[in-house]
Amino acid sequence: MAVSDKSAALATAGARERAAHYLVSRHRFRPAEALPWLLAIAAFFLFPDRMTFGNQALIMVMFALSLDLILGYAGIVSLGHAAFFGVGAYTVGLLIARLGWSEPLSSLVAAAAMAGLTGFVTGWFILRYRGLTVIMLTLATAIMLQEAGNLRSDISGGYDGLPGLVISPLFGVFDYDLYGHVNYLYVLGVLAVIFYIVRRIVYSPFGQALTGIRENVRRMNAIGSPVHRRLVTVYTISAAIAGIAGALFTQTNAYVTLTVFDFDNSAKVMVMLILGGTGRLYGAFIGAVVYMVLEDHLSKLSPTFWQFGIGLLLILAVLFAPRGLLGLAEDVVRRDRPRREARARRLVFKREDWNALTVSALDGAMIGFIAGFAVNFGQTDLMSEYITSLPGRVLVFAGFGAVIAASINVVYLALTRRVAAEDRVP
Amino acid sequence: MPQYANIAVSILFDGLAYAMFLFITSVGLSVTMGLMNFVNLAHGAFAMVGGYIVVSLTRSYGVGFIPSLIIAAVLVALISVRFERRLYRRFYRATDLEQVLLTIGLAFMAIATFTYFYGPIPKSVPLPDWLQGSVNLGFRSFPAYRVFMIAVGAALIAVLWYGFERTNIGAMIRAAVDNRRMAESIGINVDRLFTLTFALGSGLAALGGGLAIQLLGLNPNFALLYLVLFLIVVAVGGLGSLKGTLLAALVLGIIDTAGKYLLADAGGFFIYAVTVIVLLIKPAGFYGRE
Amino acid sequence: MTDAVLDVRGLNRSFGALKVTRDVDLILERGARRALIGPNGAGKTTLVNLITGLLKPSSGSVSLDGVDITALSQAQRARRGVARTFQINQLFRGLTVLENLCLAIGERDGHCNNLWRATGGRRVVIDEALDHLASLRLVEDALKLVRELPYGRQRLVEIAIALAQKPRVLLLDEPAAGVPSSETHLILDVVANLDPDIAILIIEHDMDVVFRFARKITVLVAGAIFTEGTPHEIMANEQVRAVYLGQEGHRVGGGARHG
């Protein structure tokens, strides 16, 4: 008896030390964290002619990082984060165009201050609420700022914007070159500083409190957390960072228009973050870079297919990869036993699966059938050479519809088998 | 008529027509969001699809305008049933963010698909003769189409009001919006009710989309551009309330029209300012719950 | 005289025309072991919500250590030492058990106002969290995500969080609810061994738990206090049996067994 008591005590002490160690060492820098920075520096040497693209990618990383603070960590769903990006962008633009002030670093500080102030004021009101109200108010904020800019297009330049904004040399010494080399290092430097700050916030007790608010607001209230104050604080910080990203945007493009406030901008940064994975600092890196690279290549081929792809990506992300690319990567690396077993079961289809497949194929056929009637072939030259008759067109569409729907269903079934063990919906 | 009174009448009249469009398209969204607490950002896409079906029917197959509207509404209602059953149903308990992402994704896919087939240039519909030109209402002439819209809107309001307030199904919907669990426990089949209201709402959205072609023009971006407006009407009116949606549509429709009349391009500001003010005072909207 | 830690006077609450709490007076002294019982819908959880500040009363007052806290928010009251558990677990399901506890301690001591120093740098907080876990035999689960634990152990985490707040008043809302019968003893042991200085009110339906734990019982019916007394007095009270215990006929014998 005594021996097993003692070994039980030892086991508990061991578990205790492991647990403590996990929390104590969690914030320490891991070697793998150097990777994205090394890659960024390598890109500088490897792709000297793609620096303007690199600049925009880094700026988007910063923008996505700011969104992650409120969305991934605090759980605030904002469809109008471009508002703060825009405020920062226009602060710099107006400083140069209307006040003749073009010193870069002080402009960044001013942009951060203006955007942060906007975030503080709007957040103070908006964050009293949850759910649809918050989504609507964040959306409305961005639109209102855009419309306000339109109202005074004499100041803002309207949708034509403020062109020809030239920045003074950095530190009075480094002048900006046409190819964006100095710009790139400048943006990278600012990003590194911002990232360090965000990283500290995320691992601090405040950052923990944010995740608590995201997970269960009721419990946070019950343990005495000043929830509203915490949310407004993080919203302000996030707005300031988004403002810096916007400021860098104006500085590197020498140009700013009201399109910075577009819903497209807010949606874009959200897609980037979802793609990379929310609530994980490096999700913003992966998501933004992957998105920008894909957009650069694919949207030139066909903007329509690009938009379709983004839509499909969002749906697939919600269904299969709610934790983004980084989450998928983690799953692969971890190689949990239950997942391996689940994977082995994956390829066996049961009777109800065949039923489901048939039903979905019929759905697809029905939609295709209707589409065949509705669609005006004037736009697409592909098929009209081969199928000019209406019945033929309808049948082909129905067939396509069935095949596409069935394939989606097969993929869905296969993957849901694999992740069956996971608790996906909190 | 004196100048300012003339302008006022024009604003009221155009605002009313616009408000009818907002109401017809948004009422479905309001009831379904109030009933299932599901953030459906693809609602604008349903309206757009309805519009394009009307375009195809009238231009490629020579179907009349009014019949096309009805067919479009019915078709979209049927399609939406399949969407609801197969896809949306899985996400009723998902987080707001997941619902937002899912439905925005659908909207993007819809927009891209229709851009591919119909092109980005706005389309128009051939209208029957009696809908073109003006109608003289005694003290002034008004565009016939807008009179038509107001008439359709008024008729639909009457029908919906009757259905909501006086029929059994309407009572069941109101009960389920008020307290879903309680409604289920007294035997109301909320799932089937929701499919029904979703179909009705989507059908109405398609109708609204078809009506909007002449009023606002139709291109694939319609789905997202006007989605914001629908969401605003729903949020300001209060989820699940017919009265609220109507009131919000009237207030916002007339204010937006007034803004555009009096301040041209810059007039779009006011509708959002009003939204923010209303939501800050009454976060659940005019007639919303909790 | 024992000093009153929690003093509730004339508490009323209505929802529209429905009065859910009627003129409730309740005093908890230091070290109180009070059970709040009553038929379903009597308003027991509502009363706890009023005391903790989740609901505001229509009239009446709540005082803690002689200080009126009626105007304070739930979070403010929690910071002054009013802790509760919920009938259905309210935990941070996506975080580890240890993080759940560290959060409670962090908010209690104001650590969470710090944006700069890492949580790992505060060994004191981590150690205290582990101590709490140890007293509830949860150390083995420290690094598990809460949602991976069986419900009974999650319930223990719920209690651990409330205890980590170092409360003066602890309100437990049906702590054994939803716990499989094989695990209820874990909960009961914990409840039996709580700090004797804390004033504890426990809402329970299970009479075994009530009679083992309570030194005094308050019976709530239709929002008003029906009667109060020691367990034996309540057991013997015919009216209480009729109103409440009579519905639980099969449990009546259980009370006598533990007497």
Side-chain angles (χ1 to χ4, degrees), chain A residues 129 151 304 363 373-374 379 382, chain B residues 56 61 82 112 117-118 266 280:
Chain A
Y129 311 111
L151 204 62
T304 316
D363 281 342
F373 275 105
Q379 293 302 123
L382 296 170
Chain B
S56 269
Y61 300 102
R82 299 312 294 163
F117 286 119
Y118 287 91
L280 288 180

Side-chain angles (χ1 to χ4, degrees), chain B residues 111-176:
Chain B
I111 295 174
T113 310
F114 278 79
T115 312
Y116 182 70
F117 286 119
Y118 287 91
I121 304 171
K123 298 267 189 251
S124 60
V125 273
L127 293 175
D129 288 332
W130 57 278
L131 278 180
Q132 300 177 26
S134 347
V135 166
N136 198 324
L137 290 182
F139 59 103
R140 233 192 81 159
S141 287
F142 293 102
Y145 191 75
R146 298 198 183 189
V147 174
F148 169 64
M149 279 212 65
I150 296 177
V152 169
L156 274 173
I157 291 172
V159 168
L160 285 173
W161 178 84
Y162 183 81
F164 228 49
E165 298 283 331
R166 291 261 187 267
T167 61
N168 270 342
I169 291 196
M172 288 199 276
I173 295 177
R174 276 182 292 129

Side-chain angles (χ1 to χ4, degrees), chain A residues 286-362:
Chain A
I286 295 184
V289 171
V290 169
Y291 181 95
M292 293 293 282
V293 169
L294 285 179
E295 182 188 53
D296 198 44
H297 285 107
L298 295 182
S299 76
K300 284 195 201 111
L301 292 179
S302 164
T304 316
F305 277 127
W306 171 246
Q307 189 176 34
F308 186 86
I310 293 294
L312 188 59
L313 185 84
L314 282 175
I315 296 179
L316 292 178
V318 172
L319 285 174
F320 306 131
R323 285 165 28 246
L325 286 173
L326 211 47
L328 287 177
E330 278 176 11
D331 286 348
V332 167
V333 167
R334 261 203 309 214
R335 269 179 257 154
D336 284 357
R337 178 104 50 85
R339 264 178 257 277
R340 261 225 216 111
E341 289 168 0
R343 219 180 290 166
R345 283 202 306 260
R346 146 176 71 158
L347 293 172
V348 176
F349 284 111
K350 305 198 268 271
R351 162 81 83 81
E352 59 257 27
D353 296 333
W354 291 112
N355 289 342
L357 275 177
T358 322
V359 171
S360 67
L362 286 175

Side-chain angles (χ1 to χ4, degrees), chain B residues 94-230:
Chain B
T95 61
D96 279 345
L97 178 64
E98 286 174 322
Q99 291 173 353
V100 163
L101 293 175
L102 177 79
T103 49
I104 285 190
L106 281 173
F108 279 170
M109 282 172 69
I111 295 174
T113 310
F114 278 79
T115 312
Y116 182 70
F117 286 119
Y118 287 91
I121 304 171
K123 298 267 189 251
S124 60
V125 273
L127 293 175
D129 288 332
W130 57 278
L131 278 180
Q132 300 177 26
S134 347
V135 166
N136 198 324
L137 290 182
F139 59 103
R140 233 192 81 159
S141 287
F142 293 102
Y145 191 75
R146 298 198 183 189
V147 174
F148 169 64
M149 279 212 65
I150 296 177
V152 169
L156 274 173
I157 291 172
V159 168
L160 285 173
W161 178 84
Y162 183 81
F164 228 49
E165 298 283 331
R166 291 261 187 267
T167 61
N168 270 342
I169 291 196
M172 288 199 276
I173 295 177
R174 276 182 292 129
V177 168
D178 197 39
N179 188 331
R180 196 163 98 215
R181 229 169 274 169
M182 189 61 85
E184 280 170 339
S185 64
I186 62 173
I188 294 180
N189 187 337
V190 177
D191 282 339
R192 239 186 335 177
L193 204 61
F194 187 62
T195 311
L196 174 69
T197 47
F198 189 74
L200 185 63
S202 307
L204 283 173
L207 179 66
L211 287 170
I213 306 173
Q214 180 67 7
L215 202 64
L216 304 164
L218 178 70
N219 67 17
N221 277 314
F222 187 91
L224 279 183
L225 212 57
Y226 287 95
L227 173 69
V228 182
L229 284 177
F230 305 148

Side-chain angles (χ1 to χ4, degrees), chain C:
Chain C
M1 287 274 104
T2 46
D3 30 356
V5 171
L6 183 73
D7 192 345
V8 174
R9 300 281 174 100
L11 212 56
N12 278 291
R13 170 75 201 203
S14 306
F15 285 107
L18 185 67
K19 245 182 176 281
V20 289
T21 306
R22 302 163 193 270
D23 244 355
V24 168
D25 291 331
L26 188 78
I27 294 184
L28 288 184
E29 68 285 1
R30 214 173 70 175
R33 292 291 185 266
R34 181 77 61 95
L36 182 64
I37 68 174
N40 281 324
K44 306 188 289 293
T45 300
T46 309
L47 182 58
V48 168
N49 287 343
L50 285 166
I51 295 174
T52 54
L54 196 52
L55 283 178
K56 284 278 187 285
S58 316
S59 64
S61 72
V62 179
S63 302
L64 185 68
D65 282 332
V67 177
D68 191 338
I69 59 172
T70 323
L72 296 184
S73 70
Q74 186 187 29
Q76 285 168 319
R77 295 187 203 190
R79 284 198 288 271
R80 282 177 187 242
V82 179
R84 72 167 298 171
T85 62
F86 290 86
Q87 197 172 350
I88 301 176
N89 282 336
Q90 295 294 332
L91 298 167
F92 306 115
R93 291 168 53 85
L95 303 182
T96 61
V97 172
L98 186 58
E99 284 170 318
N100 272 256
L101 269 279
C102 285
L103 254 181
I105 299 171
E107 285 292 357
R108 181 194 77 204
D109 288 344
H111 292 301
C112 290
N113 291 319
N114 187 317
L115 282 88
W116 196 248
R117 262 189 82 187
T119 39
R122 282 183 211 276
R123 189 65 201 232
V124 157
V125 170
I126 300 176
D127 281 335
E128 188 190 330
L130 285 166
D131 288 338
H132 281 288
L133 289 181
S135 69
L136 290 173
R137 311 228 213 110
L138 286 169
V139 177
E140 298 290 325
D141 298 323
L143 289 185
K144 295 207 186 121
L145 296 183
V146 164
R147 62 169 175 244
E148 290 169 4
L149 293 180
Y151 196 80
R153 314 216 96 208
Q154 286 187 16
R155 211 93 182 92
L156 281 178
V157 178
E158 176 92 358
I159 297 177
I161 290 184
L163 290 177
Q165 292 176 246
K166 291 223 186 98
R168 313 260 303 123
V169 176
L170 179 61
L171 305 156
L172 300 170
D173 197 341
E174 297 191 45
V179 176
S181 39
S182 54
E183 295 174 22
T184 34
H185 68 276
L186 292 170
I187 313 281
L188 300 184
D189 287 342
V190 168
V191 170
N193 290 318
L194 289 170
D195 187 339
D197 261 349
I198 308 179
I200 304 181
L201 178 98
I202 183 170
I203 299 179
E204 248 316 326
H205 281 297
D206 187 338
M207 286 303 146
D208 290 342
V209 177
V210 170
F211 287 112
R212 247 174 73 173
F213 160 84
R215 287 199 285 267
K216 193 165 166 199
I217 298 181
T218 300
V219 184
L220 200 70
V221 178
I225 304 235
F226 189 69
T227 184
E228 287 185 338
T230 67
H232 286 287
E233 286 167 8
I234 298 297
M235 264 296 300
N237 189 322
E238 282 298 321
Q239 289 172 308
V240 172
R241 282 170 164 235
V243 144
Y244 180 57
L245 287 174
Q247 298 169 14
E248 310 252 342
H250 62 287
R251 287 210 199 275
V252 171
R257 233 193 296 134
H258 287 274

